[in-house]
Amino acid sequence: MPVHPPMPARPPMPAHPLTAAHPLTAARPVPRVRPLMTARPLIAARPLVAAAVAVVMTAAPASASVPASGVTVQQTLLTCQVSTTSERPITFTPPVKLMPRTVTAQAGIVLTGCTSSTPAAAGLRTGVMSVRSTGRASCAGVRDVHGKGTITWYGADGTRTGVSTVRPSVQKVAGYNPGDMLLGGRVTKGALAGANVVGTATPTSDVSVCATKGLGAVHGTGKITFMS
């Protein structure tokens, strides 16, 4: 039999795409992240705030007569020293005690050494105040004061220069001297009409009996101021 020559070797088959390294097995490139909007620095807003504040400040200028706090400044018209006389202390009816109760105070108070800061009060150098007030008083203070009084004024030569009608009116006074209820209020008529009255006094007599026996009278010295 004839001998057939050996079949030639087949060339190797090319690798199938599925048998090649799959793209999924290769390292994927990191996707590019879209950059966020860059935050503006906070400091950039400061000039705008400053400008807004400047606009507000210049749009509403403060009044020359009223400070920025909104509190009206009062002008002192007259300041005097006050004192009781040995013959006429401040009296309380009924006596002031530890617990609050309605008390009427009255006195004749001497005003001396008065100094004025306005021509309208230049002739008021001394005076005598006769006053009567009622309020809820205790050894710790007094409140809801109302009453009436007059001040007769004298000049440097002792001549009478005017009369003021005073309305004592104090909402609350905290302190151990209930006599202060006579030194606050308003001038309603006469010299210094319209002026507010503010004053305080220090007792010169014993007030320690207030809580035990009650305080029926007190002597004192202090200061009174009249303000517009």
Side-chain angles (χ1 to χ4, degrees):
M1 296 181 62
V3 179
H4 295 282
M7 301 274 305
R10 292 181 179 181
M13 296 291 291
H16 195 274
L18 295 178
T19 62
H22 197 273
L24 295 177
T25 62
R28 294 183 179 181
V30 179
R32 295 183 61 185
V33 180
R34 185 177 180 181
L36 298 175
M37 182 179 294
T38 305
R40 295 181 180 180
L42 294 177
I43 193 171
R46 291 182 180 177
L48 298 178
V49 175
V53 172
V55 170
V56 173
M57 295 297 290
T58 55
S63 172
S65 60
V66 180
S69 62
V71 179
T72 303
V73 178
Q74 293 185 321
Q75 178 186 3
T76 298
L77 303 176
L78 187 72
T79 300
C80 303
Q81 302 301 313
V82 295
S83 64
T84 57
T85 64
S86 58
E87 299 83 9
R88 296 189 63 184
I90 301 173
T91 60
F92 306 103
T93 307
V96 178
K97 291 191 174 183
L98 185 61
M99 300 303 295
R101 60 178 175 176
T102 301
V103 173
T104 298
Q106 56 185 347
I109 300 172
V110 177
L111 289 71
T112 58
C114 300
T115 57
S116 63
S117 57
T118 175
L124 311 179
R125 302 299 297 273
T126 63
V128 177
M129 175 190 288
S130 297
V131 61
R132 176 187 177 97
S133 297
T134 300
R136 294 282 295 176
S138 70
C139 299
V142 62
R143 64 186 307 161
D144 302 329
V145 177
H146 56 88
K148 185 178 181 180
T150 59
I151 304 175
T152 302
W153 297 102
Y154 299 91
D157 59 357
T159 59
R160 178 171 160 172
T161 55
V163 177
S164 299
T165 299
V166 181
R167 288 281 186 182
S169 177
V170 179
Q171 186 174 13
K172 184 178 181 180
V173 175
Y176 60 92
N177 181 19
D180 285 349
M181 66 190 292
L182 301 175
L183 300 179
R186 188 176 181 84
V187 180
T188 60
K189 186 179 179 181
L192 302 176
N196 294 318
V197 184
V198 179
T200 58
T202 301
T204 56
S205 57
D206 184 17
V207 295
S208 62
V209 297
C210 183
T212 55
K213 299 179 181 180
L215 188 64
V218 64
H219 287 279
T221 62
K223 183 174 71 171
I224 191 170
T225 301
F226 300 82
M227 298 181 296
S228 62

